[in-house]
Amino acid sequence: MMDAIAALLAFAASHPRLLVLTGAGCSTEAGIPDYRDAAGAWKRSEPMRFQLFVADALARKRYWARSMAGWRTMANAKPTSAHRALAQLQALGGVELLVTQNVDGLHGAAGSVDVVDLHGRIDTVCCLGCEARTPRAALQQELTRRNPAWVGLQALSAPDGDADLEAQDFAQFDVAPCGSCGGVLKPDVVFFGGMDAVAGPMIRQMKQLGITSKFMGGDGICSGELPKLAGGAMVDGQVVCAEAGG
C-alpha cells in the first residue's frame, strides 16, 4: 500500500496538470453503496434501465417509491477524505479537470469546482416532456405529501438513492407529475442502458468548460475516449483515476 501511495505522489508531482476520473469508490465511505463487487459482479438485482422507465408506468411507480425511501442516504451524505483531498489538490493547482461518474454531488460539496458530472446529478429532477429541472428535495416533499403511508417503510440503502424496498403494492404509489407541463419526471442522471435524456446537458456542460466531448452508449465510457473528453487538459495521454472500487 505504501508503495502504491508513493507511486501516486510521484506521478502527481511529475504531472502538474492532471485529469482525474472518479467512481463509486470515492463515495462508499460516505455510506453510499456501489453496484458491483471487486470482481465486477452485481451485488443486487440489476438497476433500472431507461427504456423500462419510459415505457412502463408501474416501473416508474416502483422506482419513485424506492427512491423516496433511499433519498435520505443521498441527502445526508457528506464528502469523504478522498473528496476533500481532491478538492485541496485542485485548489493547489494540481487538478486541471475533475470528471466523476458519481451522481451524488460530493465533489462539489467538498469544494471542487467545474466538476464534470458525467452521469448527471441525483439532486436534480428533469421532465422528459418540457425538460424543466427542479430540486430533488422538493420532489421528496411532494412524494411524502402524496404517499403518507409509505413514509415509515424501512429499507436498506442501495446505490444512487435507491432502496431495497420490496413486497409492496407499487401500483398504489402516487407519482408526482411535472409541475409545469404534467409530464413524466425522471432523476437527472444516466440510467443503465444508454446515454438518455441527460446526455445533452452533460455535453453542454463540457462545452462550457472548453472540452471536446464524446458520449458513448452502455454503462460508461471506455478509456480510449478519455483523451477526447479531456481535450487540452491531458498531458501525454496521462490519466489518474481516483476510484477505489465499485
Side-chain angles (χ1 to χ4, degrees):
M1 176 62 75
M2 293 305 297
D3 289 343
I5 293 174
L8 179 60
L9 291 174
F11 180 89
S14 60
H15 298 87
R17 299 174 65 239
L18 295 173
L19 181 146
V20 180
L21 172 65
T22 69
C26 272
S27 295
T28 51
E29 185 184 322
I32 299 174
D34 50 10
Y35 286 104
R36 303 176 189 269
D37 60 22
W42 292 108
K43 290 183 175 181
R44 48 179 50 82
S45 59
E46 189 172 327
M48 175 64 69
R49 289 188 170 269
F50 177 68
Q51 294 83 357
L52 179 61
F53 184 90
V54 172
D56 191 334
L58 182 59
R60 292 195 295 274
K61 286 174 175 285
R62 178 179 180 273
Y63 175 85
W64 284 117
R66 290 165 61 103
S67 178
M68 183 175 137
W71 172 247
R72 290 184 292 269
T73 296
M74 302 300 288
N76 295 326
K78 304 298 181 186
T80 68
S81 55
H83 296 109
R84 294 190 296 270
L86 287 170
Q88 292 171 9
L89 183 59
Q90 186 183 45
L92 293 171
V95 175
E96 185 78 9
L97 182 67
L98 176 56
V99 181
T100 185
Q101 299 179 82
N102 298 337
V103 299
D104 49 48
L106 292 181
H107 283 299
S112 292
V113 298
D114 294 334
V115 178
V116 176
D117 299 299
L118 192 62
H119 291 165
R121 288 279 295 263
I122 199 70
D123 60 2
T124 304
V125 177
C126 64
C127 172
L128 296 182
C130 68
E131 298 187 358
R133 281 168 168 74
T134 52
R136 175 63 180 80
L139 177 61
Q140 184 74 5
Q141 294 178 351
E142 180 63 13
L143 292 175
T144 298
R145 185 187 71 80
R146 288 170 174 262
N147 302 278
W150 295 70
V151 173
L153 297 180
Q154 299 297 314
L156 293 177
S157 296
D160 294 344
D162 192 12
D164 290 328
L165 184 66
E166 298 295 350
Q168 303 295 325
D169 184 4
F170 293 108
Q172 301 303 312
F173 191 82
D174 187 6
V175 177
C178 172
S180 297
C181 74
V184 172
L185 294 178
K186 172 188 171 295
D188 200 13
V189 301
V190 176
F191 278 163
F192 281 77
M195 305 301 281
D196 47 66
V198 79
M202 291 304 99
I203 291 173
R204 289 195 293 272
Q205 180 188 2
M206 298 179 84
K207 284 183 177 179
Q208 290 171 0
L209 295 172
I211 305 165
T212 300
S213 58
K214 179 176 180 180
F215 280 79
M216 303 183 65
D219 294 345
I221 59 171
C222 59
S223 59
E225 295 300 313
L226 284 173
K228 299 176 185 177
L229 282 170
M234 291 186 64
V235 178
D236 299 327
Q238 298 289 352
V239 179
V240 59
C241 179
E243 181 171 7

